[in-house]
Amino acid sequence: VACPALVIIPKEKTWLSRLPNLNHVAYAIFISANAVDCCFNALIRERLIWPSSIQIIAVGEATAAALTRYGIE
C-alpha cells in the first residue's frame, strides 16, 4: 500500500526572474534530484541556456545522476 508522506510541488516560475545572469555564475549547488528536475525543466520551458562554464556541485549520487540526464557532468 503506497502512502507518501510528502508531495513535492515546484515553485511558481517567479524564481527564474530572481536568478542572476547565469553567464556570471561560477558555481551551482544542487541538493536533490528533484531540485535538478525542477531547475532544468523550467530552463528548458523558458528556453534558457545553462552555461557550460558553471562548476556544479551535486549532493549525492542520485543528484549527480539527475544532472547527467540533462547533459551536465
Side-chain angles (χ1 to χ4, degrees):
V1 174
C3 185
L6 79 117
V7 175
I8 298 179
I9 301 171
K11 291 189 63 75
E12 64 284 345
K13 291 191 301 184
T14 58
W15 67 269
L16 281 172
S17 65
R18 293 189 302 256
L19 283 178
N21 181 333
L22 292 178
N23 292 310
H24 298 135
V25 172
Y27 295 93
I29 302 170
F30 288 90
I31 61 169
S32 72
N34 288 321
V36 171
D37 290 335
C38 178
C39 175
F40 284 92
N41 286 332
L43 292 175
I44 291 166
R45 211 174 26 254
E46 298 298 316
R47 295 186 170 98
L48 297 173
I49 304 297
W50 184 266
S52 61
S53 60
I54 298 176
Q55 297 293 309
I56 303 292
I57 300 165
V59 178
E61 292 179 19
T63 305
L67 286 161
T68 300
R69 288 194 301 270
Y70 293 96
I72 306 295
E73 295 297 322

